[in-house]
Amino acid sequence: MGAEQAGEDVFRGFLIAVLLHNEAVADRLGLRPIDVAAVILLEMRGPLPVGAISEELRLPSASATRLVDRLEKAGFARRVRGEHDRRTVTVELVEDGLDDYRALAAGARRHLDEVGARYGPEQAPLLMGMLDGIAAAYRTATGELRDA
């Protein structure tokens, strides 16, 4: 096995681990993996319109609407009408509803902190840049698949 194949296998193992963890979290919460992705997105970006969630997760608008319905039913999120324009609706996380999610995510964060401790601060920009580039590549590839 060459170095290129070994690197590809490491990366594939990384992908499998992330996908399986997301699925395990979703199973424990009674959600779908894409629902957990939406919770993570809302944690990162704050309240978003359903259209922005649809765009970020590369989902058709009807699928994003159903996703938000599931998050509301499970107590993770709520729709909020705009103060100035009642036609504007954003989705925000419900802090009290996130306890179970945060408890499940804490284990992964603890293990990730252990991995991060192995690297010096000078290596962080390289690692973050690589992860950001990988995420952008997968977002582009996902868009291509959904548009095809």
Side-chain angles (χ1 to χ4, degrees), residues 84-108:
H84 303 294
D85 183 352
R86 302 287 295 159
R87 295 172 297 178
T88 311
V89 177
T90 57
V91 180
E92 66 180 30
L93 292 174
V94 176
E95 282 303 314
D96 294 343
L98 294 175
D99 293 341
D100 290 340
Y101 164 74
R102 289 194 172 128
L104 294 172

Side-chain angles (χ1 to χ4, degrees), residues 10-70:
V10 167
F11 182 71
R12 287 177 173 177
F14 163 78
L15 287 178
I16 291 167
V18 171
L19 292 169
L20 290 175
H21 183 265
N22 189 53
E23 186 173 8
V25 169
D27 286 348
R28 292 283 299 271
L29 295 173
L31 298 174
R32 297 178 182 181
I34 192 69
D35 302 342
V36 174
V39 170
I40 294 168
L41 176 65
L42 290 165
E43 273 190 315
M44 290 170 40
R45 304 271 165 75
L48 293 170
V50 177
I53 294 169
S54 172
E55 187 175 310
E56 287 279 342
L57 297 179
R58 306 300 197 265
L59 292 172
S61 60
S63 297
T65 298
R66 287 190 301 274
L67 178 152
V68 173
D69 291 343
R70 289 191 302 271

